[in-house]
Amino acid sequence: MRALVRRPEAVSDLDAEMVAGDLRDAGAVRRAAEGCGLVFHVAADYRLWVRRPREMYESNVGGTRNVLEAARQARVERVVYTSTVGCIGFVTGGLGDESTPVSFADMTGHYKRSKWLAEQAALEAARAGLPVVIVNPTAPVGAHDVKPTPTGQTILDFLRGRMPAYVDTGLNIVDAADAAEGHCLACEHGHPGERYILGSENLTLKQIFEILSRLTGRPAPRLRLPWAVAFAAAAVDTLRAELTGAPPRAPLDAVRMARKKMWVSHARAE
């Protein structure tokens, strides 16, 4: 097994041959793919606020194209591309799935837009004959979330007592280990050009905090913040971030996303 990583020392316990490099470096990606039979493209710039959006598109869109081209040149047997549940259409009062109508216009913020464009590149490659299977994980929770991801940051904020209120929204939560297993199963059984949602349980944010409260003994926030108030606070916080360069605690795009419950069905993957 070989892994393309930016900083090998950060994943020194990984049982794999390390190739130092960046998704944006086509040569490094090509060297990493040489001789491989399978390629899993699981990397992305996952932030809900970025001061220089171009960086996100270079990594998520340009990087994906580099991986697809490297896989094509290496004549691999299968590519598994990790997209996101953000590219799935959501249904008010129901569950979205892989066939729910959705378009670029439905994408909120640079992260979702860049991942949408990257997913389109993967679908285009599949139509051209590259054996690409796409998986759309929901909100993974688990060990080794070292950065952390926005989902992990929400949990850390709760544990540190920085979550005084909540908004009426919902997420689908999945164990990171289950999502990893889903990648392997998609590689083995998935159909090229198809998408598979890797999810588990649909929960409101309030329910998530109540579960964390039971696990930790810390009180769950009881104040439900009206969406308009949350939007205004996030707008001010994001403006401060744009001026100072320090990431906002409540990115405006996160509040925009929270207007819809991101609830989905993972029946196809199951």
Side-chain angles (χ1 to χ4, degrees):
M1 185 169 67
R2 185 181 299 151
L4 175 70
V5 294
R6 286 182 295 173
R7 293 185 298 113
E9 68 276 7
V11 286
S12 57
D13 59 340
L14 190 63
D15 183 19
E17 174 192 349
M18 301 293 181
V19 176
D22 190 289
L23 282 175
R24 295 168 292 186
D25 181 348
V29 176
R30 187 170 57 253
R31 289 190 295 274
E34 285 177 357
C36 292
L38 306 172
V39 167
F40 290 82
H41 175 23
V42 300
D45 187 342
Y46 180 20
R47 292 177 286 173
L48 298 184
W49 175 84
V50 55
R51 198 175 194 187
R52 291 178 289 276
R54 180 177 176 181
E55 294 178 355
M56 183 168 284
Y57 290 91
E58 289 174 344
S59 292
N60 292 349
V61 186
T64 295
R65 288 177 176 148
N66 287 340
V67 171
L68 295 170
E69 177 59 21
R72 187 190 66 79
Q73 293 185 20
R75 299 180 183 273
V76 302
E77 299 171 23
R78 184 63 58 96
V79 179
V80 178
Y81 167 63
T82 307
S83 183
T84 171
V85 73
C87 292
I88 298 295
F90 301 115
V91 179
T92 302
L95 303 181
D97 62 24
E98 295 88 349
S99 62
T100 303
V102 68
S103 69
F104 182 79
D106 298 309
M107 300 296 109
T108 301
H110 293 295
Y111 174 68
K112 279 191 176 185
R113 290 174 196 143
S114 64
K115 290 293 286 183
W116 167 270
L117 293 172
E119 186 180 273
Q120 296 307 302
L123 290 169
E124 181 181 349
R127 289 191 292 268
L130 189 67
V132 183
V133 176
I134 297 167
V135 292
N136 299 74
T138 57
V141 174
H144 306 293
D145 189 2
V146 295
K147 186 167 272 190
T149 61
T151 308
Q153 187 63 57
T154 298
I155 294 172
L156 286 177
D157 286 345
F158 173 87
L159 295 174
R160 293 167 178 167
R162 298 175 182 172
M163 199 62 67
Y166 66 93
V167 293
D168 181 23
T169 191
L171 300 171
N172 183 291
I173 299 292
V174 64
D175 188 298
D178 290 341
E181 184 180 359
H183 279 68
C184 296
L185 292 170
C187 182
E188 185 176 355
H189 301 293
H191 298 288
E194 293 287 346
R195 302 190 298 163
Y196 299 90
I197 295 171
L198 304 182
S200 181
E201 191 169 3
N202 294 303
L203 297 166
T204 65
L205 187 58
K206 183 175 185 290
Q207 288 173 320
I208 292 170
F209 287 146
E210 288 171 347
I211 292 170
L212 289 171
S213 179
R214 291 198 298 270
L215 291 171
T216 65
R218 291 180 173 272
R222 295 184 179 182
L223 176 63
R224 177 177 143 182
L225 206 60
W227 187 83
V229 174
F231 184 90
V236 172
D237 195 21
T238 301
L239 177 60
R240 175 198 57 78
E242 298 289 350
L243 295 174
T244 65
R249 282 190 57 194
L252 187 55
D253 282 345
V255 176
R256 286 187 175 123
M257 292 178 191
R259 195 157 197 178
K260 292 182 179 179
K261 289 183 171 67
M262 298 173 66
W263 286 352
V264 292
S265 166
H266 60 270
R268 177 183 287 181
E270 186 177 4

